[in-house]
């Protein structure tokens, strides 16, 4: 969808014990992409870095993931459902 993309970097909240597990999981992506028959996607794997949650991009990503996961589970209600709709329709920013 984005032919101009070179790499996708991942920024994860710095949280003791969590980042290390996510880094270990990320380190399996290359083999996983090859296993599922998508080796051409390996070239897009960038770096995985940690950041403080107070950083705006990390906080925004955390909020988006929270709403997306609950939408997938069908458990969004009230204001959270309204916020999710705005986020998913790119009208929140």
């Amino acid at each position: 969808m984005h032919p101009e993309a070179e790499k996708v970097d991942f920024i994860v909240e710095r949280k003791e014990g969590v980042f290390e597990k996510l880094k270990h999981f990320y380190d399996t992506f290359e083999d996983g992409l090859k296993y599922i028959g998508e080796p051409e996607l390996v070239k897009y794997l960038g770096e995985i870095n940690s950041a403080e949650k107070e950083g705006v991009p990390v906080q925004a990503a955390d909020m988006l993931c929270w709403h997306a996961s609950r939408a997938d589970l069908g458990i969004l209600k009230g204001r959270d459902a309204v916020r999710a709709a705005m986020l998913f329709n790119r009208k929140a920013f």
Side-chain angles (χ1 to χ4, degrees):
M1 293 180 64
H2 298 279
E4 72 283 0
E6 294 178 16
K7 297 272 184 189
V8 176
D9 292 330
F10 293 82
I11 302 172
V12 179
E13 178 185 345
R14 185 178 304 128
K15 192 170 187 178
E16 189 175 332
V18 176
F19 177 76
E20 292 78 15
K21 290 176 184 173
L22 289 171
K23 169 84 169 82
H24 178 72
F25 176 65
Y26 179 80
D27 289 342
T28 68
F29 279 14
E30 182 174 346
D31 289 339
L33 288 169
K34 291 175 182 174
Y35 179 78
I36 65 169
E38 302 283 352
E40 70 280 1
L41 297 179
V42 170
K43 67 183 179 184
Y44 296 112
L45 292 176
E47 297 180 16
I48 184 168
N49 297 297
S50 64
E52 293 296 330
K53 185 173 185 168
E54 289 76 23
V56 173
V58 176
Q59 185 64 32
D62 189 36
M63 184 179 75
L64 177 61
C65 290
W66 186 91
H67 284 83
S69 67
R70 278 147 185 84
D72 287 345
L73 294 171
I75 59 174
L76 279 176
K77 294 180 176 133
R79 267 193 250 171
D80 291 331
V82 172
R83 285 188 196 111
M86 290 173 44
L87 287 167
F88 302 154
N89 291 312
R90 299 179 182 198
K91 300 201 184 297
F93 303 102

